[in-house]
Each structure stands twice: as C-alpha cells, then as structure tokens.
Amino acid sequence: MAARMEQLILDLFAIEAVKFGDFTLKSGIQSPIYFDLRVIVSYPVIMNEVAELLWETTKTSGANFATVCGVPYTALPLATLMSAHHDVPMLIRRKEAKDYGTKKMIEGKFEAGSSCLIVEDVVTSGSSVRETAQALESVGLVVTDAVVLLDREQGGKQKLKDSGIALQSICGTAQLLRILRKHEKIPESVAEQVRDFVRNNSFQPGPEPPVKKARKALSYGERGDLCQHPVAKQLFDIMERKKSNLAVSADLCTAAGILKLADEVGPHICMLKTHVDIITDFSAEFVQSLTQLAEQHEFLIFEDRKFADIGSTVQHQYQDGLYQISGWAHLINAHALPGPGVLEGLKQVGLGKQRACLLIAEMSSRGNLATGEYTKATVKMAEEHRDFVVGFISQSQLSQDPAFIHMTPGVQLCGSGDGLGQRSGDGLGQQYVSPWDAVVERRADVIIVGRGVYKDPDPATAAQRYQTAAFQAYQHRLAN
Ligand code: S5P
C-alpha cells in the first residue's frame, strides 16, 4: 500500500492536483501549497486508485458503517466508486435542497440510527466534514468515521476527534513533502516553506489559551443584557426567544411580494432587510402593513440603504423624500467612507427616534475595497459612536465587545465548504459561504440570506432550514 500511495502522490503532482506557489485560501490566508482535487475527474485511472486506497484505509482502521457519503462536490465521485465497487449503499448530501419535489437534504435510503462513513478529498480545519456530519445527523444517521485523501495536518483531525469523528487519511502533508523531495519534484526550500506554513497555521488542539478559557462565550440573551442601545437589546432578545439568528433580505420589487414574504418567513427570522428603492409601488400603506407584520411576528426592520454621503445629505436621505426611512426602519447601515460626518448627520435624525445603525466594515463581493486599514478605521468609528452604531456588516468578527452585533451577508446553504479558497457566487461578484462557516468560522451573530430564501418556491420552509442551520451553528459555538 505504501508503494501505491507513493505513486499516487507523484501522479497527483503530475496532474497539478497538488500545486506550489502563492495561493489565497478561503480564510484569506496566503498558502504556499494548494490542493485542487477537482481535476481528478479527468483522470479515471487515478480517480479509481484514490477510491481504492480510501476504501483500504477505511477497512484497515476497522471502521464500521452501513452507508457512505461524499462531501460535495469533489468527493462525490470518490464515494460513488467506493459504493459501486464494494457494494455499500451511498447517500448524497444536497448542498441546496432542490427547488421542487421532496426537498430532501439527504438523498438515498437509510435507517435512522445506522452509521455513515464520510468521504472527503482534503481536510484543513475539518469544517466541511463536520458540516456534512451535521446534515447526516439531522436526519438520524450516526457519524463516527471519516476518510480523506489528504490531511493538511493543520489540526483538523483533532478538531474532528473532539466532535466524535475519527479521521483516517491516505496521506498527510509531511509525507507528501517527503515523497516529492525523494523524487526531486520540489526543492528543499519549497518543502521547508510549506512545513513552516503548516506549523504556523494549525487549528490548535487541546486547551484554549487561558484568557479565552476564562471568558465564557455569552449567549444572545446575556449579550442583550450588556447592551445600552434599546434596538440592540431588542434584537438580542428576539434572537434568544425565537431561536433565530436569521435575517431575510426581501429583495423583491413589489410591495405585495415583500409583504407576502414577510408574512411567510416572519416566524423564522429576527430581522427583515429591505432595499426600499427597488420597490415599484412603495406607499405609506406598505410601510404600515410591514410594521404590523413586524409586530405580529416579532422581527426588526433593517433598511439596507448604505448611506455614503456627507452628513447634511444623508440626513435628508434618511428623513425625507418618498421613503422617509427614519420613520419606520429600526436599523439602517452606512459606509464609513465619508468619515464621521455621515454618522453625525444620521444621528441627528435617528437618535431621538431610538434608531440604530450598522457600519459596513467588510463586504461579501469579490474584489471589494473594504479591507485592511479601511476596515480597522471603520471599527474605530463605530467605537466612537456607540450611542448609535450597534454593530457591523462584516465577513468576520471585528470586535470582541459583546454588545456589537456582527451581521454577515453572502450566505447560502450551497455556499463554500471545502476549506480551499473556493466560494460559490452569483456571477455578478457575490460570494457565498454556508451558514455553518458564517457562524462558526467567521463568527457571525446574524446571517443575512436573500435569494437562498426568497427564490425558493417555498420560502417558509427554506427560512426554517436556514434558521435551524444557523442556530445550531451558534449553539455549537456556545458549547465549544
Ligand atoms: O457586503 C454585503 C453587504 C450587504 S448588506 N453583501 C451583500 O450581499 N449585502 C446585501 O445582502 C445585498 O445587498 C443583498 O440585499 C443581500 C444578499 O442577498 P443574496 O441574495 O446574495 O443572499
């Protein structure tokens, strides 16, 4: 088996499934090594050998399982080959429930309580395996084992062990480097660079650093108690009571469409987000009906106006015109770009009405400029206007202050997941991560979902699915 594994590593290098250079991972970290196992579908002999070695690795470990399930998408053909060659039934986890019919997240026959082996191509932090395990467990399956082609050896194995999943791998980064060095495929300097990277970028197993350990993760309810601003308090309170950290973005263009959606998803959300300037038939009646629905279903209204002008102009945009946003939106948001004047202007209108604002500190869209020093300056601006700013639109946790709420857009159940820098998108720059990644890895307090919900033929069920996924991820974060 060792000789076969050695040959496989050489083959993977030859087809550029293993590359060396300068790559940006999903987390934003620069990596000197990159695995792109998606190419193996073009090399059936190699793909077959990977599947065989995965099978043999599993069997040697003594794992018991009734079904196999590949983490979508790269590992799907691998699981298929294992299933077909060894006569073990397969299950398919949908990354997105299909638009019609039964909307099952797990396809295939199984008995509740039976065990399923997870098959994966590469493991970094183990989050994709955990996410698939979560989906399988949510329908009553038991997951105790996973098998992977390449373990990046950055702590994923230990993290999975901590969540009760034993991970076996065909090969790890250290062994891969040894083989490639032995055959002089890469210079020693590159191998050393990768070893350094792995050493410095591990998800540390074992006890947390003392400061972190001493600070217990606070629940939404506890954080609400720490907030000074009534809107932040109210939002945390709704999140705790409704068990929902889901905000639905109602990006529809008719008043009737938005009201219907708000009524359907109302029970599952803590907040409804609007883009009021895309509504063709906006009216005072619309505002009245939306406000009634917000009271009935207990959610807040967030107008995603993204104010970005000088103080005097944004004041008018907030208070006047056709929409008179300050009259009905509990929350608005603003760019920090114009400087503190934007907040000073908005505050003069909003404070008296007990309204709140979120600052856009990071964006979900590809190539956006809200990064680095700009993001840091935005956080500082928020800290200096705590009487009005209650949090951020962001893609990561930017402040340790539990009173600040982090809201993350760019979320879909089919988003991201392989830990390798790939994020799905909409073809217009939007980039998606999954609810699990948003809440656990990026530490979002609220996920914002638009098309994932309103484009679904059954938005209520879709909202419920997002609510469950995001709240379970929050509970996992609290427990760990
Ligand atoms: O960085 C951002 C900030 C916002 S507020 N990225 C975003 O996508 N948004 C908004 O979130 C965007 O304007 C849209 O209303 C929603 C995402 O919609 P989806 O359909 O892509 O889920």
Side-chain angles (χ1 to χ4, degrees), residues 249 251 273 275 304 306 363-364 393 409 430 432 449-451:
S249 185
D251 299 340
K273 186 172 84 59
H275 278 297
D304 186 4
K306 296 190 179 72
M363 292 198 70
S364 59
I393 299 293
Q430 177 66 301
Y432 290 112
V449 183
R451 282 163 283 186

Side-chain angles (χ1 to χ4, degrees), residues 42 45 84 102 124 146 176 178 197 244 279 308 326 373 378 422 445 453-454:
S42 305
V45 174
T102 54
T124 308
L176 175 130
R178 272 198 298 277
F197 170 79
S244 173
I279 306 174
S326 63
E373 290 307 311
T378 306
Q422 305 302 313
D445 297 314
V453 169
Y454 71 76

